[in-house]
Amino acid sequence: VQLQASGGGLVQPGGSLRLSCAASGSIFSINAMGWYRQAPGKQRELVATMSGSNTNYADSVKGRFTISRDNAKNTVYLQMNSLKLEDTAVYYCNARISTEIMYWVSRDYWGQGTQVTVSS
């Protein structure tokens, strides 16, 4: 199983970016998908998660970021609007996946990270 993230880049404050993360491989089911971020010198923190139709957001991004999924494509998106300087970080996608070989067990998988830089 692999998670491939894309969509990061450099944007000015107030701008927007859309991150994508596609899961591939011998997937039996995906229980949840989400995004985390890690700024320099800080611990990795939750940004947003989605399980079924339930979503969860960090307080710092509520009202600005929107998480969504395309189940047919095993892809999760993060639409980021009104970006702030403090949103600068490496963003990692996460998915809790059951594989075809061990369908009764689920575990977390991580993408490689994509850099988001908000700067004027």
Side-chain angles (χ1 to χ4, degrees), residues 37 61 64-65 82-89 91 116 118:
R37 67 187 181 186
V61 306
R64 301 188 297 121
F65 291 10
S82 301
L83 282 160
K84 303 177 180 180
L85 297 175
E86 52 264 40
D87 294 318
T88 295
Y91 284 69
V116 171
V118 184

Side-chain angles (χ1 to χ4, degrees), residues 14-32:
S16 299
L17 281 176
R18 188 192 194 209
L19 306 183
S20 301
C21 177
S24 62
S26 300
I27 297 171
F28 178 74
S29 66
I30 300 178
N31 302 322

Side-chain angles (χ1 to χ4, degrees), residues 87-106:
D87 294 318
T88 295
V90 177
Y91 284 69
Y92 297 91
C93 62
N94 166 274
R96 177 149 292 189
I97 294 173
S98 299
T99 63
E100 292 178 343
I101 295 177
M102 296 181 67
Y103 57 90
W104 62 92
V105 176
S106 62

Side-chain angles (χ1 to χ4, degrees), residues 29-94:
S29 66
I30 300 178
N31 302 322
M33 299 187 83
W35 292 92
Y36 292 72
R37 67 187 181 186
Q38 187 167 17
K42 296 187 177 181
Q43 291 188 334
R44 189 174 297 188
E45 63 176 2
L46 178 148
V47 176
T49 61
M50 189 169 190
S51 178
S53 60
N54 297 319
T55 57
N56 181 42
Y57 294 92
D59 288 342
S60 59
V61 306
K62 283 181 180 177
R64 301 188 297 121
F65 291 10
T66 302
I67 189 170
S68 61
R69 277 177 65 173
D70 184 333
N71 292 327
K73 296 181 179 180
N74 289 335
T75 299
V76 64
Y77 305 95
L78 185 68
Q79 178 66 44
M80 305 185 294
N81 298 328
S82 301
L83 282 160
K84 303 177 180 180
L85 297 175
E86 52 264 40
D87 294 318
T88 295
V90 177
Y91 284 69
Y92 297 91
C93 62
N94 166 274

